[in-house]
Amino acid sequence: MTYVTTTIGYPYIGENREWKKALEKFWKQEITEEDFLKQQKEIRLSRIEKQLQLGLDFVSVGDFTNYDRVLDTAVMFGLVPKRFKWQGGKVDLQTYYAMARGNKDAVASEMTKWFNTNYHYIVPEYEGQALQLTENTVLKHFVEVKAAFDITAKPTLIGPYTLIKLTKGYDRLAKASLVLAILPLYAQVIKELVDVGAEWIQLEEPALVTSLDNEEIKLVQEMYAQLSIAVPEAKIMLQTYFESLSAYEQLIQLPVQGIGLDFVHGYTYNMDALRQYGFPKDKVLAAGVINGRDIWRANLAEVNATVKAIEQLSGARELWIQSSCHLQHTAITTKFETKLDSTLRNALAFADEKVVEIVEVAAYLNGQDTSNNSAISASMKAIEALKNHPIRNNKVVQQAVQTIQQADFERNTAFVERLSIQQEALQLPLFPTTTIGSFPQSDEVKQKRNAWRKGNLTNAEYSAFLEKETARWITIQEELDMDVLVHGEFERTDMVEYFGEKLTGFAFTENAWVVSYGSRCVKPPIIYGDVAWEAAMTVKETAYAQSLTKRHVKGMLTGPVTILNWSFVRDDIARKDVTYQIALALRKEIEALEQAGIAIIQVDEPALREGLPLRKEQWDTYLEWAVGAFKLATASVKDETQIHTHMCYCEFNDFIEPISALDADVISIETSRSHGELISSLQHNPYDKGIGLGVYDIHSPRVPSEEEMLTIMQDSLQVLARNQFWVNPDCGLKTRKEPETVAALANMVAAAKTLRQQIEQVI
Ligand code: GLN
Ligand code: ZN
């Protein structure tokens, strides 16, 4: 048996985010294109060098990008929308970045989530344009690496089926022409690679782990049949990740030389499939056994056992030991994490440590290195130590989760009855106006926070500043004549981090950055222990704001599922249980707000929908506990207390049922960019609770007119009852500037008043 160590891809942002910095300098024209390309090449090569030093057999090229790998693939084949006025030939960097970020003449291409990760890619657009191979970039990188290190790397590309599946803008007919046009280009890229000495070529097809119907399976079969006829000399590694391979029995027979399977996220199904259908004897199996998208050290004894089992079940003659996916979804190195709890730190593995794990597994299996037994036991000891850490052994929290009762999920009274009780208690006008929570984080707000973090501002000074800012905005909201006010969230930078810092069980790294989209990186919190509520987190700020006004001030919390989905999460207990722990902690916060006299409490769940599993058959299980967690957090309040929720960045049209199941009294959702669609879907699936359809887009500085917003409201009233309808912008306002915010809200309030008058005239 031969074991080859490899990864599907290695992070490109650089240990100190050199990549991000280079991009941003280039955009600001602080460095020339020549300097920029030189820096990119240095980053590219240094990461290859590092992987080789760590002992990896087979490094990938083509796993790097100047912005986004889907965009790279689209550009490589000339999938450039007409509005960018590209004339054919090599696509220059200006055009490339215009597609990603827009320019003065053309809006950027859409961006959307990469499968079930928190990474966002640029959506390719097909307009029937004639396709062409603009530049074989992966070949350039292959040659570059060959020249620098004298190695034969593994070129990797987003595969043709996935590319087509992610491309938008074509109908059924055009799809056939897209397939026809693109396959010869793939063949050409592959052929050119083979001609310069490439052996294996990896085609990444994560779309093959989503639910596939018969027609789709047939298309995949046809595409790969054609490719194998076009380039019979190539060795193709068909790589899947994020879940188990769909239609295993058929797709395993595709005419390729190797198949990569994710034995972390698709463990159960892929193992069952191996057991049931075996594995073709003439193919290489690439086994994703090291989790490529978490931050945890693997239990190497378990990994070794998994590899042995795969080996037996598959009978494959050659196994690749690899990460479960591209390592861009994890951070780069733990070496900078000097401030973390040492037991936690010792149980972490970012990309570099994961590469080492891959190498250690293979060395052990090859029987080369007996000292690897110590690698195995070190991994087990580190995991065991974290398991015994007091933070993972909070008996009170564990007991509380175990003793949750069915009744804990339910409000006392059904929505219809609550509605009239709340109307009586809150005394709000028809079409109440409100905002989503945050107000502009001005330079002053950011400066004060930084000064306070650095110790240059005392706690008292910082609090006094925050209160002053809140008081100022309470006055602004009163002057605008808004109905439900907010305190403005000036104390928060990030809606998850803020709560993570106050709850137990969370840790924050120095440098564990992962790319979210383009050059934007995030540093997710780590949930490593039992989550417990220790003290009120938002009561002081909210109660202070409430003390300044007779109008209602809305309490503002981040929901349990969003906190979960935007963090790195411990893997020793079920995600459901982690979420329930968070929900129970939030439940205490909500009760504390209620006791402090807050009558309306909003629990934001923008990430609820994005946690949906890739396979439809798993949706119900997820939704049951995710919706359950929201209800668990919010159900204990009095009938009079009104629970709001907010969601954004999400397709709602197939999601109205779960939203309704949350049993929130009011939801505000982002719709201003597609409200037409939502209104038509509300027509078919009526919604019975309070709903604020965002009446303007906060992502742009443009101030919408009163008439514009009035029209949206009038349209909405076609499908919503009067007493259901709330008026609000479509998301938080923290990224906006103050003048445009005040101007837009003034128009919004005016539009709501006009609508009230119109309705009264009718009555
Ligand atoms: N309450 C948050 C805010 O206004 C909600 C942010 C969000 O939906 N992403 O900023
Ligand atoms: Zn939002």
Side-chain angles (χ1 to χ4, degrees), residues 436 495 604 606 646-649 668-670 698-699 730-732:
I436 304 304
M495 61 189 289
D604 294 328
H646 165 69
M647 288 181 197
C648 45
Y649 336 108
S668 58
I669 49 186
E670 178 189 301
I698 63 91
H699 302 91
D730 70 353
C731 194

Side-chain angles (χ1 to χ4, degrees), residues 187-203:
Q188 189 181 342
V189 169
I190 294 169
K191 170 117 193 16
E192 289 178 11
L193 281 164
V194 172
D195 287 348
V196 295
E199 284 158 19
W200 281 96
I201 290 148
Q202 171 173 279
L203 295 179

Side-chain angles (χ1 to χ4, degrees), residues 200 203 224 228 235-238 251-259 282-284:
W200 281 96
L203 295 179
Y224 276 85
S228 88
K235 282 189 182 172
I236 303 289
M237 173 55 74
L238 178 81
L251 296 186
I252 208 78
Q253 301 299 345
L254 289 175
V256 291
Q257 289 63 44
I259 295 203
D282 57 345
K283 288 189 176 51
V284 169

Side-chain angles (χ1 to χ4, degrees), residues 208 210 212 217 244-253 615:
L208 298 184
T210 60
L212 300 173
I217 296 169
S244 57
L245 174 63
S246 279
Y248 180 96
E249 193 185 357
Q250 289 133 299
L251 296 186
I252 208 78
Q253 301 299 345
R615 294 276 177 79

Side-chain angles (χ1 to χ4, degrees), residues 178-321:
L178 178 58
V179 172
L180 271 180
I182 217 147
L183 278 178
L185 300 179
Y186 268 98
Q188 189 181 342
V189 169
I190 294 169
K191 170 117 193 16
E192 289 178 11
L193 281 164
V194 172
D195 287 348
V196 295
E199 284 158 19
W200 281 96
I201 290 148
Q202 171 173 279
L203 295 179
E204 296 171 50
E205 293 283 19
L208 298 184
V209 309
T210 60
S211 308
L212 300 173
D213 62 26
N214 283 335
E215 202 179 310
E216 290 167 320
I217 296 169
K218 238 180 88 204
L219 177 63
V220 176
Q221 288 169 329
E222 281 166 16
M223 289 174 88
Y224 276 85
Q226 285 190 34
L227 261 189
S228 88
I229 293 167
V231 269
E233 63 276 42
K235 282 189 182 172
I236 303 289
M237 173 55 74
L238 178 81
Q239 197 61 257
T240 67
Y241 43 80
F242 298 148
E243 247 304 338
S244 57
L245 174 63
S246 279
Y248 180 96
E249 193 185 357
Q250 289 133 299
L251 296 186
I252 208 78
Q253 301 299 345
L254 289 175
V256 291
Q257 289 63 44
I259 295 203
L261 301 173
D262 182 341
F263 286 99
V264 177
H265 302 95
Y267 176 82
T268 313
Y269 285 99
N270 276 336
M271 284 305 246
D272 281 352
L274 274 185
R275 216 167 277 129
Q276 209 175 335
Y277 306 109
F279 189 82
K281 295 288 165 285
D282 57 345
K283 288 189 176 51
V284 169
L285 175 54
V289 287
I290 296 293
N291 195 332
R293 49 188 289 195
D294 75 358
I295 47 158
W296 302 112
R297 202 164 165 171
N299 178 331
L300 292 186
E302 275 175 18
V303 175
N304 291 337
T306 301
V307 176
K308 282 284 171 205
I310 294 169
E311 194 176 319
Q312 260 178 10
L313 291 172
S314 68
R317 60 186 163 79
E318 180 175 327
L319 275 188
W320 291 8
I321 312 291

